[in-house]
Amino acid sequence: SSKYHVVIANPPYAGSRYMNPRLRAFAQSAYPDSKTDMFTMFIERIEEISLNKGVFAVVCPYVWMYISTYEKFRESLLALGSISSLVRLEYNAFEPACVPVATWVFLKGQTVKGVFVDLSEFKGHQNQAPKTLEAIKSRKVDYLYTVSSSDFASIPGTPVAYQAGEGFRRIFNSGLSLSDVCDITGSQNITGNNNQFVRMNWEVPLSSIGKEKRWVPYAKGGGERKWYGLLINVVDWSDSARQFYKHNATSNLLGKEFWFRPGITYSMLTSNTATFRLLPEGCVYDKGGPAFHPHNDYSEICLLACNSIVAEKVFNLLNPTLNLQVKDVKNLPLPAFTSSQKIQAKTILNSILSITKRDWDGSEISPDFSFHRLIEINAAEKTSTLEVLYGELSEERKKDLVELQSLEIENNRLFISAFGLENEFKSDVRLNDINLNYNPHYRYGNDKSEDELEALLLADTMRELVSYAVGCMFGRYALDKPGLILANQGETIEDYLKRVPEPSFPADDDNVIPMLDGDWFTDDIAERFRKFLRVAFGDEHYEANLKFVEKALGKNGKARDIRDYFLRDFYSDHVKRYKKRPIYWLFSSPKGSFNGLIYMHRYRPDTVSVVLNEYLREFKIKLTAHKNHLEAVSISASARPAEKTAAIKEIEKLNKILAELDEWEREVLYPLAARRIEIDLDDGVKVNYNKFGAALKKVPGLSE
C-alpha cells in the first residue's frame, strides 16, 4: 500500500552537518521545512504516507518542539492535525544512554485536546514507566497537561508549549515585548581566538583597562548569577585587534553603536535557569554573554522582568535547551506598568543591586574589591576578637540573604499581578536560588545540614582572609588604603611607598616570600601571616584569633597549623580562586622541599636570581649547617642513643633534600636566572607562566 492508517517509527537521527553533500542537497530541495535533521525529514515523509484521519506515533529527540531551526517544520506539522498524547522523557530515560527524547502520537486531519506528560523532573530510567502509568491512571498529577495543539500558535515560534496555561498564553498578545523597548543585536563580538585576545581582568596591567585603552571589560557569561557580577574578562580592543575581528573569517566585530553602552547581559549557556545581570557602561560583549540595551524609561523594568518567575517560564517554553538564544529573549512579553508600579520597580531594583553589588565586590576577582569585609567591620569595632567579628559578618550576610529573597519574591508578585497570572503562578523563591557568594545554600547545595553549611562558609571566609593577607604581603592590597595598590607591570616597593607612605603592615621588599616547612627565614609566609593578624586585629586578641583561623581551616573538626595550610592547600586554593590564572607564582622544587612565592605584577628580569641567591642558596646553607650540627650529635659521647638515632634519620632526610635542591638549582633555576627572562603581562598568565618551565609548580590546565 502507498497509504497507511497507522505508522509507528523510531526514525534515524542525523543533523544536517553530518550529511554528505548529496544528501544535504536532496534535503534542501525535497524537504525544505524539515531539512535540519533526518528524523524530521522522516516524520514529514510519514505524514505524506498517512491517510487522512490516520494515526502515526513517533519516538524521537524533542528538540523539534522548541528550537527555532525547526519552526517551519512545527508550523507545517501542527497545521495538519493534533498531537493526541506526548510523553517527554528525562535525559537518562534509557540506561545507560543520555538522550533528550519524547514519544508522541499524532492524529492527522483531526482536532483534539492532547494529553502531555512531562517526566523531566524525575531522574533515572527506573522512574519513567511508573510515573507515566501514574499519570495515565490518576490524570491529576502536576506533571500532566491537557491542551489543544492549535493553542501553540499563540506563542512566538509555535513551540509545543504544553505547560503554558490559558492566561500565560495570553500574555504573548499583551502588547509589548523586550524587543520593543530595547536595542538588541543578534551579532555579538567573536574574537576567533580567545587565547590571543581575551584575558582575566587580573592578568593584565590595571592601567591598560578601560575605554580608549587596550583592554576593555568583556561580558562572556560564565556561570549562574543574577543582577550583578561575573564581569571578570577583558578583551583586546586595540585597532589591530578590532581589524582582526572585522576581517577574519571565523570572527565578528560588534557593531560600533553597541560599544561601551550600559545594558543587560546574561549567560547564554545555562545549567539551571537563565540569569540576567547589569552591564555597566564601558563594556563590550561576546556570544557567550549576549547583551541588550533598554531605552531609558525601561532600564529597571527590563532587568526585573528578565529575572522574574514569568521570564523563567517563558524562556523554558521558548527554548528549554541549555543555550538561550537572543531571539528568545527578544520575545519576552512586558506588562503595561502604571506609574506607581514603575516607582515600585525602581525601588526594588535599587535595593537588589545594593545587596548584590556589595556581595560581588567582596570577592578579590572583582575589579572593585577594596578590603576584606572583616577588616572593614574591625575598623569600626577595634576591640573584638575575630570570632566576634565573624559573628557580626555572618549576621550581616543572613540579613542580606533574607532581604534579597524577600525582594525577589516581591519582584515576582509585581509581574504576576501585572500580567494577571495569580491563578497560574507562585511568587516563591527558594534559598538555593539566591545567587549570593555568601549564601551557603546556593554555594554548597541543599543536601547538607545547617551546621555543615556554616562550617564550609566559615572555612572559605578564612581562606579569603588569608588570601587578602598574602595580597597585603605583596603590596597588591594595603590595610591602610582601599582597592588595588600595585597592579601594573614591574611595580616596585618604591611605587608602593608612594601610594602608602606609612604602611601599618609593609609590603615585602624583594617580592619573594618563602613558604617552607620551618622557620628558616624571618619573612616566611606563615610568620608574616601571624604578623598580619597582630597588625590587622590587634595584639590583645592575637592568640585567640590565630586559633580561630586554624580551627576554621582544620579538617575533620581538628585545627591545623597555619604553616600546614600554606604548605598543603594555599596555592591550590589560590589557583582555583583565580580560575587557573594565578597572580602569585610558586617557585617549587620537584618534591616541594623549597617553595618561594612571587607576585607576577612585580616580577622583574632579576627576580629568579633573587629566588636563587637570596633564598634557595641561603636555605641550602642553613640546611647544611643544621646537618653539620646533627652529625656532631650523632657522634657525641654525651648524646643519648635515641638522640643519635633521631639525628642519623634526620641527616638521611637532609641529604635527600639537599640532593634534590642541588639538582634543581643546577638543571633548572640557575640556567633560568642566567637568561633574565622578560614577561609581558598583556600576554596573559598562560604564556608567561610557561616561560619558567619546571621552576614553577605545575598547574593542571595551565602548565604545558
Side-chain angles (χ1 to χ4, degrees):
S1 176
S2 61
K3 293 280 186 177
Y4 301 88
H5 292 88
V6 177
V7 182
I8 301 173
N10 176 6
Y13 321 147
S16 58
R17 62 176 175 161
Y18 299 109
M19 298 178 187
N20 62 37
R22 184 178 176 188
L23 177 56
R24 191 178 300 115
F26 168 74
Q28 290 172 347
S29 62
Y31 293 94
D33 290 347
S34 57
K35 63 185 178 184
T36 305
D37 200 293
M38 284 287 288
F39 82 86
T40 44
M41 293 165 60
F42 265 83
I43 291 170
E44 185 174 339
R45 178 63 181 146
I46 288 168
E47 180 276 320
E48 291 172 353
I49 63 174
S50 297
L51 288 165
N52 193 37
K53 307 296 183 180
V55 182
F56 59 85
V58 178
V59 55
C60 68
Y62 56 67
V63 289
W64 72 271
M65 297 162 56
Y66 308 100
I67 294 178
S68 59
T69 50
Y70 298 97
E71 184 175 338
K72 288 185 178 180
F73 169 73
R74 282 194 299 274
E75 291 176 347
S76 59
L77 176 67
L78 297 178
L80 296 172
S82 303
I83 298 172
S84 64
S85 67
L86 182 146
V87 180
R88 175 183 166 179
L89 301 172
E90 194 265 329
Y91 279 111
N92 299 294
F94 300 104
E95 189 182 21
C98 180
V99 287
V101 299
T103 69
W104 47 283
V105 177
F106 191 86
L107 305 184
K108 185 177 177 181
Q110 301 179 58
T111 301
V112 298
K113 280 200 170 186
V115 178
F116 297 79
V117 177
D118 191 330
L119 303 177
S120 58
E121 295 300 315
F122 305 109
K123 308 298 181 187
H125 68 282
Q126 69 279 3
N127 288 315
Q128 306 303 293
K131 288 296 181 181
T132 304
L133 292 172
E134 182 182 345
I136 292 170
K137 290 175 182 176
S138 74
R139 298 293 178 107
K140 294 180 180 179
V141 296
D142 60 4
Y143 55 93
L144 183 143
Y145 306 85
T146 303
V147 61
S148 173
S149 297
S150 59
D151 292 333
F152 300 145
S154 63
I155 300 175
T158 320
V160 181
Y162 51 81
Q163 308 97 321
E166 183 178 348
F168 187 39
R169 291 194 297 271
R170 194 168 54 241
I171 73 172
F172 291 95
N173 300 316
S174 61
L176 287 178
S177 66
L178 204 69
S179 60
D180 296 318
V181 298
C182 295
D183 294 331
I184 304 175
T185 174
S187 178
Q188 291 80 32
N189 199 73
I190 302 172
T191 69
N193 188 341
N194 281 353
N195 285 333
Q196 180 178 349
F197 296 111
V198 179
R199 304 282 183 267
M200 300 295 187
N201 67 69
W202 53 82
E203 295 184 76
V204 302
L206 179 64
S207 59
S208 298
I209 300 176
K211 288 171 62 176
E212 311 303 326
K213 297 182 179 180
R214 176 173 180 179
W215 301 99
V216 172
Y218 196 42
K220 285 184 86 301
E224 217 177 85
R225 186 176 171 91
K226 294 179 183 176
W227 310 113
Y228 192 91
L230 286 189
L231 196 62
I232 60 176
N233 294 102
V234 291
V235 64
D236 190 343
W237 213 246
S238 60
D239 290 341
S240 59
R242 294 200 308 270
Q243 287 301 311
F244 180 87
Y245 310 152
K246 186 175 182 179
H247 299 294
N248 183 48
T250 59
S251 59
N252 183 72
L253 178 63
L254 180 69
K256 192 169 185 177
E257 66 273 23
F258 296 100
W259 296 3
F260 314 134
R261 289 177 61 181
I264 299 169
T265 183
Y266 70 97
S267 303
M268 187 179 74
L269 181 62
T270 63
S271 59
N272 183 22
T273 186
T275 53
F276 292 76
R277 298 172 292 281
L278 190 71
L279 182 73
E281 185 178 4
C283 305
V284 290
Y285 44 91
D286 85 342
K287 63 179 181 179
F292 47 95
H293 310 277
H295 304 158
N296 289 337
D297 292 345
Y298 286 89
S299 56
E300 292 92 6
I301 291 171
C302 289
L303 183 52
L304 289 169
C306 288
N307 282 329
S308 70
I309 185 65
V310 177
E312 181 182 335
K313 298 297 184 184
V314 167
F315 296 144
N316 282 340
L317 288 177
L318 297 181
N319 186 355
T321 69
L322 297 180
N323 287 295
L324 181 62
Q325 304 297 327
V326 172
K327 75 167 202 60
D328 299 315
V329 176
K330 289 167 68 173
N331 285 323
L332 176 67
L334 293 177
F337 274 178
T338 63
S339 297
S340 62
Q341 285 175 320
K342 289 181 179 179
I343 294 171
Q344 182 185 2
K346 189 168 185 176
T347 302
I348 291 172
L349 185 59
N350 286 342
S351 298
I352 286 175
L353 290 178
S354 175
I355 294 171
T356 52
K357 187 177 189 305
R358 182 166 63 247
D359 172 74
W360 176 252
D361 289 343
S363 166
E364 281 186 22
I365 62 175
S366 166
D368 294 321
F369 174 82
S370 56
F371 292 106
H372 191 281
R373 183 63 184 138
L374 286 170
I375 300 295
E376 293 180 307
I377 296 174
N378 182 60
E381 299 286 339
K382 291 188 177 178
T383 58
S384 297
T385 64
L386 200 49
E387 183 173 7
V388 171
L389 294 171
Y390 179 76
E392 293 185 25
L393 175 60
S394 184
E395 288 303 312
E396 178 184 283
R397 290 170 170 174
K398 289 175 182 176
K399 181 182 176 183
D400 280 351
L401 176 57
V402 170
E403 184 178 354
L404 184 55
Q405 184 182 32
S406 176
L407 288 164
E408 291 201 10
I409 290 172
E410 188 178 354
N411 182 52
N412 284 340
R413 286 181 184 146
L414 181 65
F415 282 89
I416 290 170
S417 173
F419 279 123
L421 295 173
E422 290 88 348
N423 294 330
E424 296 184 26
F425 281 75
K426 293 181 180 179
S427 60
D428 301 349
V429 176
R430 300 179 303 171
L431 270 179
N432 58 317
D433 288 333
I434 305 295
N435 306 147
L436 291 176
N437 286 335
Y438 299 123
N439 172 13
H441 301 275
Y442 161 69
R443 189 166 179 172
Y444 309 114
N446 262 353
D447 58 342
K448 298 174 180 64
S449 69
E450 288 295 328
D451 288 344
E452 289 174 320
L453 291 173
E454 177 54 38
L456 289 168
L457 188 57
L458 170 60
D460 276 337
T461 304
M462 291 303 105
R463 290 186 185 98
E464 290 157 6
L465 179 64
V466 171
S467 178
Y468 173 72
V470 173
C472 291
M473 295 176 200
F474 281 117
R476 181 172 176 83
Y477 308 113
L479 285 172
D480 314 282
K481 189 173 182 178
L484 293 167
I485 309 299
L486 300 183
N488 294 300
Q489 180 150 354
E491 290 190 315
T492 64
I493 193 67
E494 288 75 25
D495 296 308
Y496 175 82
L497 292 172
K498 287 177 185 177
R499 292 164 200 162
V500 190
E502 297 180 0
S504 56
F505 180 75
D508 186 75
D509 287 341
D510 60 13
N511 190 35
V512 180
I513 299 178
M515 200 158 72
L516 303 169
D517 189 5
D519 296 319
W520 298 97
F521 292 90
T522 55
D523 62 343
D524 168 82
I525 197 166
E527 185 56 38
R528 289 188 67 88
F529 179 75
R530 295 186 186 103
K531 184 178 180 180
F532 171 86
L533 281 184
R534 291 182 185 276
V535 174
F537 300 102
D539 278 322
E540 181 184 357
H541 304 296
Y542 165 70
E543 294 294 342
N545 289 342
L546 181 60
K547 286 181 181 178
F548 182 73
V549 173
E550 291 182 333
K551 183 178 179 182
L553 295 175
K555 294 183 177 180
N556 301 319
K558 295 181 180 180
R560 66 192 303 202
D561 183 84
I562 191 65
R563 184 180 300 281
D564 181 68
Y565 170 72
F566 276 118
L567 288 174
R568 296 180 184 276
D569 292 334
F570 169 76
Y571 199 63
S572 59
D573 286 346
H574 174 68
V575 169
K576 182 179 179 181
R577 177 173 293 107
Y578 283 85
K579 316 293 184 185
K580 294 189 177 181
R581 296 296 182 267
I583 54 173
Y584 310 134
W585 295 352
L586 189 61
F587 282 83
S588 184
S589 61
K591 296 182 180 178
S593 301
F594 174 87
N595 297 286
L597 206 62
I598 72 161
Y599 175 31
M600 73 172 190
H601 288 61
R602 289 180 61 187
Y603 174 86
R604 300 188 311 178
D606 66 345
T607 295
V608 181
S609 292
V610 174
V611 174
L612 173 63
N613 295 312
E614 303 299 323
Y615 291 93
L616 178 62
R617 286 175 174 170
E618 186 66 20
F619 182 45
K620 287 167 60 180
I621 290 171
K622 292 178 179 183
L623 288 177
T624 302
H626 182 50
K627 175 187 161 188
N628 292 339
H629 166 71
L630 292 172
E631 287 174 341
V633 171
S634 70
I635 61 174
S636 172
S638 61
R640 295 191 301 271
E643 291 176 327
K644 291 183 178 183
T645 301
I648 291 170
K649 287 184 178 180
E650 185 67 13
I651 290 168
E652 291 175 357
K653 179 181 176 182
L654 288 172
N655 282 332
K656 291 179 181 178
I657 291 174
L658 286 166
E660 172 200 352
L661 299 183
D662 284 340
E663 182 179 1
W664 189 56
E665 175 184 340
R666 182 178 62 254
E667 301 296 330
V668 178
L669 212 58
Y670 177 77
L672 205 61
R675 288 168 57 192
R676 294 179 60 84
I677 291 175
E678 300 271 0
I679 70 169
D680 184 345
L681 293 187
D682 288 330
D683 290 337
V685 171
K686 190 172 180 67
V687 169
N688 289 316
Y689 197 92
N690 284 299
K691 289 181 178 181
F692 298 86
L696 295 179
K697 187 172 181 65
K698 189 172 182 178
V699 175
L702 172 61
S703 305
E704 292 178 350

